């Protein structure tokens, strides 16, 4: 059964109706099934270490869409958002997000994989998801059960190298060993985000986040880099394509384009055809 049907069935079967006891997250073991033999995270790093960027992106895409990801990524977490409308009323929304950034590997050995926005979009499209906005990223950080400290590495050309990717992943996991890492985790990566700035500056990547413990992001919303730029600090978090708005299920893309309700999930006002902004 297609993913969209499986997860839509979850939404509309009553699991997410007001008053349901199933009110924290959702998971379906048929979502994102593992279609290929497991590849350990460190083995995957070794495999892509010497590949050119286009081939590396292809390998990342194939591993992720074929389900070679840790099982916890298949459990989407609820994030509550609100906004005051022009009428003075308060709108309330709920989005559903992966608990950590897209990773390749098994539960025992996985690596968070930076990638281009084009690859991120292909993955999101394949799984009927979207990427977040800056406002969604802030909401995720505020409600994360586990808030990690950013771990910047020495700047330079090596920032875009696979060894830097692997070392930063190791540093994140070292932090996680010291805390309760159940549920939503945030603070350890910059997000690739959807932004209306990409309409003005096509061919760029929009990044935001990497929050300090005081809640302030190290990285303000930026489109300074070209769309093929990837460094160790970037992460991809998936947002399920449906959300709740005042108790009703709606497509996230429709809410983003809505002149009334876009403020629930956007600092930039309405963003039409948001996913189309993530191009090469």
């Amino acid at each position: 059964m297609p993913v969209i049907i499986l997860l839509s069935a979850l939404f509309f079967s009553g699991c997410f109706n007001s008053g349901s006891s199933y009110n924290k997250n959702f998971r379906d073991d048929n979502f994102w099934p593992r279609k290929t033999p497991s590849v350990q995270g460190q083995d995957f790093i070794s495999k892509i270490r010497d590949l050119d960027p286009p081939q590396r992106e292809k390998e990342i895409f194939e591993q992720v869409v074929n389900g070679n990801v840790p099982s916890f990524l298949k459990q989407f977490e609820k994030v509550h958002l609100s906004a005051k409308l022009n009428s003075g009323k308060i709108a309330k929304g709920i989005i559903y997000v992966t608990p950590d950034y897209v990773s390749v590997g098994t539960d025992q050995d996985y690596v968070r994989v930076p990638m281009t926005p084009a690859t991120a979009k292909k993955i999101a499209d394949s799984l009927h998801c979207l990427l977040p906005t800056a406002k969604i990223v802030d909401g995720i950080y505020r409600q994360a059960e586990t808030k990690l400290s950013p771990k910047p590495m020495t700047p330079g050309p090596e920032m875009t190298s696979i060894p830097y990717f692997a070392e930063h992943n190791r540093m994140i996991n070292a932090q996680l060993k010291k805390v309760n890492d159940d549920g939503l985790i945030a603070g350890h990566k910059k997000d690739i985000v959807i932004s209306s700035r990409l309409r003005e500056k096509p061919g760029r990547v929009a990044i935001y986040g990497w929050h300090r413990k005081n809640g302030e992001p190290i990285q303000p919303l930026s489109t300074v880099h070209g769309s093929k730029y990837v460094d160790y600090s970037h992460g991809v978090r998936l947002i399920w394509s449906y959300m709740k708005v005042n108790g009703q299920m709606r497509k996230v893309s429709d809410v983003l384009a809505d002149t009334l309700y876009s403020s629930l999930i956007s600092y930039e006002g309405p963003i039409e055809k948001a996913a189309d902004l993530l191009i090469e």
Side-chain angles (χ1 to χ4, degrees):
M1 185 181 295
V3 172
I4 187 69
I5 296 175
L6 280 166
L7 290 182
S8 293
L10 279 173
F11 280 119
F12 295 108
S13 66
C15 290
F16 295 96
N17 289 340
S18 298
S20 169
S21 61
Y22 198 83
N23 61 5
K24 176 171 173 54
N25 50 45
F26 72 82
R27 177 173 179 167
D28 188 289
D29 288 334
N30 292 310
F31 171 58
W32 215 344
R34 191 181 295 274
K35 301 174 184 176
T36 57
S38 299
V39 175
Q40 300 289 325
Q42 293 309 307
D43 290 340
F44 182 68
I45 285 293
S46 297
K47 181 178 182 179
I48 66 172
R49 183 184 299 269
D50 297 321
L51 296 180
D52 60 28
Q55 188 61 37
R56 180 183 72 202
E57 295 293 316
K58 181 175 182 291
E59 290 289 341
I60 292 170
F61 173 77
E62 290 180 352
Q63 289 293 328
V64 174
V65 298
N66 283 317
N68 190 32
V69 300
S71 62
F72 65 80
L73 276 184
K74 303 174 185 181
Q75 178 165 301
F76 281 53
E77 301 282 335
K78 271 189 176 183
V79 173
H80 294 260
L81 299 169
S82 63
K84 187 174 183 179
L85 306 180
N86 291 335
S87 64
K89 294 182 179 180
I90 301 298
K92 295 184 178 181
I94 301 173
I95 57 171
Y96 305 90
V97 309
T98 52
D100 201 342
Y101 294 102
V102 171
S103 306
V104 169
T106 65
D107 290 355
Q108 294 72 37
D109 180 3
Y110 61 90
V111 60
R112 298 165 188 85
V113 282
M115 66 190 79
T116 66
T119 300
K121 180 183 185 303
K122 285 173 60 180
I123 289 170
D125 288 349
S126 296
L127 297 170
H128 304 284
C129 292
L130 296 170
L131 299 191
T133 61
K135 183 167 185 178
I136 290 175
V137 173
D138 282 343
I140 289 170
Y141 184 78
R142 283 194 302 271
Q143 294 175 50
E145 288 92 344
T146 301
K147 294 180 173 68
L148 299 181
S149 297
K151 294 293 181 182
M153 298 174 67
T154 304
E158 293 300 307
M159 291 170 61
T160 62
S161 70
I162 299 301
Y164 254 50
F165 295 2
E167 175 59 17
H168 194 244
N169 191 71
R170 186 198 65 76
M171 294 165 68
I172 293 168
N173 287 342
Q175 280 197 81
L176 285 173
K177 288 180 180 179
K178 301 176 183 178
V179 298
N180 177 11
D181 61 352
D182 291 336
L184 198 55
I185 302 169
H188 48 313
K189 290 278 188 183
K190 303 173 187 177
D191 281 76
I192 297 178
V193 296
I194 291 171
S195 170
S196 60
R197 294 187 190 182
L198 294 171
R199 207 177 304 281
E200 304 161 8
K201 295 183 177 179
R204 304 291 182 91
V205 57
I207 52 175
Y208 176 80
W210 219 8
H211 290 71
R212 302 180 180 91
K213 286 297 181 73
N214 65 5
E216 293 298 317
I218 289 176
Q219 178 64 66
L221 182 60
S222 171
T223 54
V224 67
H225 294 296
S227 63
K228 294 184 179 180
Y229 178 81
V230 182
D231 76 37
Y232 75 92
S233 67
H234 295 187
V236 171
R237 195 185 297 266
L238 299 177
I239 314 300
W240 174 236
S241 58
Y242 282 83
M243 65 178 289
K244 266 190 175 181
V245 178
N246 292 338
Q248 301 298 314
M249 296 307 303
R250 294 187 60 184
K251 286 186 176 182
V252 174
S253 57
D254 290 345
V255 178
L256 262 180
D258 193 311
T259 56
L260 182 60
Y261 288 105
S262 60
S263 57
L264 270 172
I265 52 177
S266 171
Y267 291 133
E268 302 175 276
I271 305 176
E272 295 186 358
K273 298 181 179 179
D276 293 344
L277 297 173
L278 302 170
I279 60 176
E280 287 283 7

